[in-house]
Amino acid sequence: MKTLPSLSLAGIIITSLLGCQSSNLQYQDNKTSHQLQQSAVNSNLGYDIVESLTVEVGPRLAGGKNDLVAVKWAEDKFKSLGYDKVYKEPVKVPVWSRGDASAEVVSPFPQPLVITALGGSVATPENGLTAEIVRFHTLADLKKAEPAQVKGKIVFIDQKTERHKAGNGYGKSVGGRSKGAIAAAKKGAVAIVIRSIGTDHDRMAHTGAMRYKDGIKKIPAAALSAPDANQLNAILKRDKKVVISLKLSPQHLGYSTSYNVIGEIKGQNKPEEIVLIGAHLDSWDEGTGALDDGAGVSIVMAAGKHILDLPTRPARTVRVVLYAAEELGLIGGKQYVKTHKNELNNHYIAAESDFGAGYIYRIDVNVAPQKFEQVKNELSSMKINGVELGNNEAGGGPDVSMMPSLGVPVASLRQDGRDYFDYHHTPNDTIDKIDPKALAQNIAAYTQFAYLMAQSTTDLRPIKKK
Amino acid sequence: MKTLPSLSLAGIIITSLLGCQSSNLQYQDNKTSHQLQQSAVNSNLGYDIVESLTVEVGPRLAGGKNDLVAVKWAEDKFKSLGYDKVYKEPVKVPVWSRGDASAEVVSPFPQPLVITALGGSVATPENGLTAEIVRFHTLADLKKAEPAQVKGKIVFIDQKTERHKAGNGYGKSVGGRSKGAIAAAKKGAVAIVIRSIGTDHDRMAHTGAMRYKDGIKKIPAAALSAPDANQLNAILKRDKKVVISLKLSPQHLGYSTSYNVIGEIKGQNKPEEIVLIGAHLDSWDEGTGALDDGAGVSIVMAAGKHILDLPTRPARTVRVVLYAAEELGLIGGKQYVKTHKNELNNHYIAAESDFGAGYIYRIDVNVAPQKFEQVKNELSSMKINGVELGNNEAGGGPDVSMMPSLGVPVASLRQDGRDYFDYHHTPNDTIDKIDPKALAQNIAAYTQFAYLMAQSTTDLRPIKKK
């Protein structure tokens, strides 16, 4: 856990920061930013919100039975917090039901394995499926394999996910989860199991979305917990022929309607211009979605509330968007840019919180390169909250990741995610994994960011397209 | 993790210890003890044994399908290690099969709960059982309750288990698990769920043995993971009437025959006198029984092997006993004292390793009070391994706990068990939780203890009866 500057030190820093400001307007904005930071770090509001969501709704898989409970919860919560405008927008989501999952080593050493179905997987035959496993270190190794090596077998992709502050290990290993079934089926595999995309040593498998491809056979796909992947390796060391059985009973049940839920704080000078801060409301079904993404929901909802509590509204509108069905492939995010295509030019900047509740150590942006230093100057009061001013290479977060290509400036508030993939997409994603102090620091950062951007006098466009 | 004296420091300590010894015999024994300690801490043998057991057998519930696989494994392993005599003794064990377990909050906030059946529980009706819960902080509070408060409800005992180096928290909370169903049924409860007896925050429930009583209705009994117990509390805070459903399908399937498996190193001067070091071979069915008690199995088997590797056998016989069905109520331990009742007078001293693989920091004994100082002197070379000489109040370990009342001296080699109840009786009890260095230190301690006691010239009896 990072320690933050003490209050007295923060006072000295803000004084010196304020000394750098030239205009009276900026002086006032920085003073308000400082006050907002203090209110936010000393408030329990965010923790109360994430507790309310995880307790009163719990798991909320998009298209599942708690999905609309969550939508109702979000509307009610925005209203009870006093947002100026609360509404929802329909999003068509696929309905996938997990069913049961079990696996066993059949030979040489019979014993159960802990697995979970990957999100979107088809079922095995009702009585399961039994075959020899063939191990690959990575997806790339599988792609290089001779089909004869794979045909009729269960592919086992065994890549470990490295622990990293910015979560960089995830990107390196997640391809095995999302694309492994396609690669395995192309070579004639009957199923795929992967080492969980996670950094823990718990006997818990990590679920997450996987894809199929038209024209390629859909084969069942599951994740093994890390100790179970280790166990398969130890067995393979003793006997190259390892036979396992798998039984998965997920169901695809068509489509249903979910919603992006939106709360707004109406800008007093430029109400048509929007500072968007978002998170996703849906979660996987096995935990209670505390870190992913109850934390994000509470961060942006509470940040809005701290701005609502100011004596006057900021210049621009702050729009808090709780996206539907992020876990199933950024479905709410993609729908949002369609629904709002005529309004995207009025989106001043956007950011999403979707990486747990670890301390924010840096803010990156993606704005017009010649305005970068000016924006950094406008955001400089975020330093009192332990947030450094970073680079101009931000992606903005999953559900706003399509915005830069549409010309919308974005920001990424970088969280310390070293522990995030210990719990991500497992039953262990519960509220006890959230540090209330770190959550409050996140809220302070989003509050300052949203307020300062709603007051900014800089034109952030055109951004550098990638 | 405790750090151990470095080798050079150990050298100084042993030199000074040896300086205290009067007889040439003790000088030789201490020198051998020192050499044994060095061989043991520098050997991987113990880790190889526990890996072999957890990989090649895996979970091994007494009476379950891997139980006799484990017995065969143990006989083969003793033989391959070159033990002088290997044999097994029948133990009648009950056969209980876990089946499935699921639970849900029905109202006010529908969501799944993570539970596991307690060992020995009866099943719920096939379609489950639904009732309001009534929460008690402890078993004692349940016992004080009015029957009207409990009748027709599902009792929820919510006691937390404190983390403690010597595991003292377990004794305070485990009564809820072992005796809760009796107390709840007496007052008319339809089932019982308890907060897991564990110190972790993982979404994993801890199983463990529970009991019924003749004449009292047998009600289903399960444990909730710690986050699920927290969740019930958070729901109860919002709504006093919380209804849950439980579905458990364990089966009682009569009795079968298991075995205590024994390997001996025959004493060269007093072969009829026995130094017993034991562990239990069975495990619960959800983990692979690495800490409980694969670690103990590997510690005592490897300790024996280090003694076997000496140029000559020690004076007394060292008997390594791997007990059957400890988890189901010390069944193998109780059978052992029956089978060997005519030989107990020849049991010089006994100790069991059954508390994981944390560093041993102290040895306690239970010997004739007037011989206590003499025994401590004989064991003093254990200090080079980081083991302090403790008190004369030892219990000896679960499967030898009945021996002191039968006049047999015992020893307790105290392990640092701070993490033990994080994993105990859960799927998470896997080999990655064992620190190979700590395991080797344990083996060194048992090797020194068994060797020194096999060479001891002290008469340890009569012990103080409790």
Side-chain angles (χ1 to χ4, degrees):
Chain A
M1 199 177 300
K2 286 164 66 183
T3 52
L4 293 172
S6 70
L7 280 192
S8 57
L9 180 58
I12 295 163
I13 294 170
I14 188 69
T15 308
S16 60
L17 287 171
L18 297 180
C20 300
Q21 303 301 328
S22 51
S23 77
N24 189 45
L25 188 64
Q26 277 192 336
Y27 175 82
Q28 278 303 332
D29 286 350
N30 278 326
K31 197 173 153 192
T32 304
S33 172
H34 184 208
Q35 287 161 350
L36 285 168
Q37 190 269 342
Q38 286 296 303
S39 309
V41 296
N42 291 308
S43 166
N44 291 321
L45 175 64
Y47 196 83
D48 291 345
I49 291 173
V50 65
E51 185 183 276
S52 170
L53 176 58
T54 57
V55 170
E56 295 159 27
V57 182
R60 45 200 182 279
L61 182 63
K65 52 186 172 179
N66 271 3
D67 189 14
L68 297 185
V69 179
V71 167
K72 175 77 165 55
W73 173 91
E75 290 183 277
D76 291 348
K77 188 61 75 183
F78 273 131
K79 286 175 189 164
S80 75
L81 292 171
Y83 273 73
D84 296 329
K85 187 177 169 190
V86 179
Y87 56 107
K88 64 185 179 190
E89 298 174 340
V91 179
K92 183 182 170 189
V93 299
V95 181
W96 178 81
S97 162
R98 175 172 300 283
D100 296 319
S102 62
E104 283 181 22
V105 177
V106 173
S107 72
F109 307 125
Q111 56 189 282
L113 295 167
V114 171
I115 64 161
T116 193
L118 293 182
S121 174
V122 295
T124 60
E126 204 176 332
N127 293 322
L129 174 161
T130 300
E132 190 181 338
I133 61 170
V134 54
R135 177 189 177 281
F136 296 99
H137 181 221
T138 63
L139 175 63
D141 293 340
L142 165 62
K143 286 180 175 173
K144 278 182 257 164
E146 289 299 323
Q149 223 188 320
V150 173
K151 196 170 156 54
K153 293 182 183 165
I154 296 172
V155 161
F156 165 37
I157 297 183
D158 192 29
Q159 190 173 5
K160 289 184 183 168
T161 301
E162 299 156 22
R163 194 177 293 280
H164 189 284
K165 188 175 179 179
N168 296 4
Y170 187 69
K172 294 184 198 170
S173 62
V174 75
R177 187 189 82 202
S178 53
K179 297 176 234 163
I182 299 168
K186 272 186 184 168
K187 295 185 198 282
V190 295
I192 180 169
V193 294
I194 62 163
R195 176 187 283 270
S196 279
I197 311 302
T199 46
D200 58 297
H201 292 274
D202 284 319
R203 197 92 184 276
M204 272 187 211
H206 296 237
T207 192
M210 53 82 60
R211 295 200 288 272
Y212 294 117
K213 198 169 174 177
D214 285 344
I216 310 284
K217 192 174 179 212
K218 295 180 177 181
I219 59 173
L224 292 156
S225 86
D228 288 85
N230 295 345
Q231 188 81 337
L232 282 191
N233 278 302
I235 297 174
L236 282 165
K237 227 166 54 181
R238 288 161 165 78
D239 187 337
K240 285 194 177 143
K241 189 177 160 116
V242 177
V243 176
I244 71 170
S245 68
L246 278 185
K247 210 188 278 188
L248 304 177
S249 58
Q251 288 183 285
H252 286 82
L253 300 164
Y255 290 86
S256 74
T257 301
S258 185
Y259 298 89
N260 290 333
V261 185
I262 299 170
E264 288 186 358
I265 300 151
K266 197 176 172 187
Q268 65 172 339
N269 305 326
K270 303 171 189 169
E272 73 290 355
E273 291 192 20
I274 293 150
V275 172
L276 187 158
I277 54 175
H280 66 85
L281 185 56
D282 68 309
S283 76
W284 281 106
D285 50 333
E286 297 191 294
T288 60
L291 291 166
D292 187 13
D293 186 21
V297 168
S298 73
I299 289 164
V300 294
M301 281 184 134
K305 170 63 174 163
H306 290 301
I307 294 171
L308 281 165
D309 286 344
L310 290 173
T312 55
R313 297 286 186 261
R316 294 188 180 82
T317 290
V318 175
R319 181 178 286 175
V320 178
V321 182
L322 304 183
Y323 293 99
E326 188 273 346
E327 298 295 1
L328 309 186
L330 319 181
I331 299 175
K334 290 172 187 167
Q335 183 59 53
Y336 180 89
V337 293
K338 279 188 206 162
T339 305
H340 294 267
K341 64 176 186 294
N342 295 328
E343 196 192 25
L344 290 179
N345 284 340
N346 278 333
H347 280 62
Y348 183 74
I349 194 164
E352 182 178 29
S353 171
D354 182 21
F355 195 45
Y359 282 100
I360 294 175
Y361 58 92
R362 200 176 79 215
I363 179 168
D364 298 330
V365 293
N366 183 357
V367 299
Q370 68 277 21
K371 303 296 177 60
F372 177 54
E373 289 304 323
Q374 198 170 325
V375 171
K376 272 170 72 171
N377 186 42
E378 288 184 348
L379 294 172
S380 60
S381 62
M382 292 181 72
K383 287 188 191 170
I384 60 163
N385 194 40
V387 179
E388 293 302 312
L389 309 173
N391 60 45
N392 198 27
E393 308 290 332
D399 288 301
V400 301
S401 62
M402 54 296 282
M403 287 195 170
S405 67
L406 301 167
V408 181
V410 295
S412 292
L413 286 77
R414 306 287 185 193
Q415 294 166 294
D416 185 333
R418 262 173 285 201
D419 297 340
Y420 185 65
F421 293 110
D422 287 348
Y423 308 118
H424 183 247
H425 295 185
T426 73
N428 230 349
D429 182 1
T430 50
I431 193 168
D432 49 291
K433 313 308 182 306
I434 292 179
D435 171 0
K437 283 192 178 163
L439 184 71
Q441 187 261 1
N442 272 265
I443 293 165
Y446 270 86
T447 306
Q448 291 185 290
F449 165 75
Y451 172 76
L452 292 166
M453 291 294 94
Q455 292 285 85
S456 168
T457 54
T458 308
D459 182 0
L460 304 180
R461 302 182 186 222
I463 66 168
K464 188 177 59 179
K465 299 229 171 143
K466 290 195 181 168
Chain B
M1 195 178 298
K2 286 165 64 184
T3 51
L4 292 172
S6 68
L7 279 192
S8 57
L9 180 59
I12 295 164
I13 293 170
I14 188 70
T15 309
S16 61
L17 286 172
L18 297 179
C20 302
Q21 302 300 330
S22 50
S23 76
N24 188 46
L25 187 62
Q26 275 191 336
Y27 175 82
Q28 277 304 331
D29 285 350
N30 277 328
K31 197 172 153 192
T32 303
S33 172
H34 185 209
Q35 287 161 351
L36 285 169
Q37 191 270 343
Q38 285 296 304
S39 310
V41 295
N42 292 308
S43 167
N44 291 320
L45 176 64
Y47 195 83
D48 291 344
I49 291 172
V50 67
E51 185 184 276
S52 170
L53 175 59
T54 56
V55 171
E56 296 159 29
V57 182
R60 47 200 180 278
L61 182 64
K65 50 187 174 179
N66 271 2
D67 189 14
L68 297 184
V69 179
V71 167
K72 174 76 165 53
W73 173 91
E75 290 182 277
D76 290 349
K77 188 61 74 182
F78 273 133
K79 286 175 189 163
S80 75
L81 293 171
Y83 273 72
D84 295 330
K85 189 177 168 190
V86 179
Y87 56 105
K88 63 185 180 190
E89 298 175 341
V91 179
K92 183 182 169 187
V93 298
V95 181
W96 179 82
S97 162
R98 175 171 301 280
D100 296 318
S102 62
E104 283 180 23
V105 177
V106 173
S107 73
F109 308 124
Q111 57 189 281
L113 295 167
V114 171
I115 63 161
T116 193
L118 294 182
S121 174
V122 296
T124 60
E126 204 176 332
N127 292 323
L129 174 161
T130 300
E132 190 182 337
I133 61 171
V134 53
R135 176 189 177 280
F136 297 98
H137 181 222
T138 63
L139 175 64
D141 292 339
L142 166 62
K143 286 181 174 171
K144 278 181 256 164
E146 289 299 323
Q149 225 188 317
V150 173
K151 195 169 159 56
K153 293 184 183 162
I154 296 172
V155 162
F156 166 37
I157 297 183
D158 192 29
Q159 190 172 4
K160 289 184 183 167
T161 300
E162 299 156 23
R163 195 178 292 280
H164 191 284
K165 188 175 179 180
N168 295 5
Y170 187 68
K172 293 183 196 169
S173 62
V174 75
R177 187 188 83 203
S178 54
K179 296 176 234 162
I182 298 167
K186 272 186 184 168
K187 296 186 196 283
V190 295
I192 180 170
V193 294
I194 62 164
R195 175 187 283 271
S196 279
I197 311 302
T199 47
D200 59 297
H201 293 274
D202 285 318
R203 198 93 185 275
M204 272 187 211
H206 296 238
T207 191
M210 53 80 61
R211 295 201 287 272
Y212 293 117
K213 198 169 172 176
D214 285 343
I216 311 284
K217 193 176 178 211
K218 296 178 178 184
I219 59 172
L224 293 156
S225 85
D228 289 270
N230 295 346
Q231 188 79 337
L232 283 190
N233 279 302
I235 298 174
L236 283 165
K237 226 167 52 181
R238 287 161 165 79
D239 187 338
K240 284 193 177 145
K241 187 176 163 117
V242 177
V243 176
I244 71 170
S245 68
L246 277 185
K247 209 188 275 186
L248 305 176
S249 59
Q251 289 183 284
H252 286 83
L253 300 165
Y255 290 86
S256 75
T257 301
S258 185
Y259 298 89
N260 290 331
V261 185
I262 299 170
E264 287 185 0
I265 300 152
K266 196 176 175 188
Q268 65 173 340
N269 305 326
K270 302 170 187 169
E272 74 290 355
E273 291 192 20
I274 293 150
V275 173
L276 187 158
I277 54 175
H280 66 85
L281 185 56
D282 68 310
S283 77
W284 281 107
D285 50 333
E286 297 191 295
T288 60
L291 291 167
D292 187 13
D293 186 23
V297 168
S298 73
I299 289 165
V300 295
M301 280 184 134
K305 170 63 175 164
H306 291 300
I307 294 171
L308 279 165
D309 286 344
L310 289 173
T312 55
R313 298 285 186 263
R316 295 188 180 82
T317 289
V318 175
R319 180 178 286 174
V320 178
V321 182
L322 305 184
Y323 292 99
E326 188 272 346
E327 298 295 1
L328 309 186
L330 317 182
I331 298 175
K334 289 172 186 167
Q335 183 59 52
Y336 181 90
V337 293
K338 279 187 206 162
T339 305
H340 294 268
K341 64 177 187 291
N342 297 328
E343 196 192 26
L344 290 180
N345 284 340
N346 278 333
H347 280 62
Y348 182 73
I349 195 165
E352 182 178 29
S353 172
D354 181 22
F355 195 45
Y359 281 99
I360 294 174
Y361 58 92
R362 199 176 80 215
I363 179 168
D364 297 330
V365 294
N366 182 356
V367 299
Q370 67 278 20
K371 302 297 175 61
F372 177 53
E373 289 303 323
Q374 198 170 325
V375 170
K376 271 170 75 169
N377 186 41
E378 287 183 349
L379 294 172
S380 59
S381 62
M382 290 181 74
K383 286 188 192 172
I384 60 160
N385 193 40
V387 179
E388 293 302 311
L389 309 174
N391 60 44
N392 198 26
E393 309 290 332
D399 288 300
V400 302
S401 62
M402 54 295 283
M403 287 194 170
S405 67
L406 299 167
V408 180
V410 295
S412 293
L413 286 77
R414 305 287 183 193
Q415 294 166 293
D416 185 333
R418 263 173 284 201
D419 297 341
Y420 186 64
F421 293 110
D422 287 350
Y423 307 118
H424 184 246
H425 295 185
T426 73
N428 230 350
D429 182 2
T430 50
I431 192 167
D432 49 292
K433 314 307 182 308
I434 292 180
D435 171 359
K437 283 192 178 164
L439 185 70
Q441 188 260 1
N442 273 265
I443 293 165
Y446 270 86
T447 306
Q448 291 185 290
F449 165 75
Y451 171 76
L452 292 166
M453 291 293 95
Q455 291 285 85
S456 167
T457 53
T458 308
D459 182 0
L460 305 181
R461 303 184 187 221
I463 66 169
K464 186 178 62 177
K465 299 229 170 143
K466 292 197 179 168

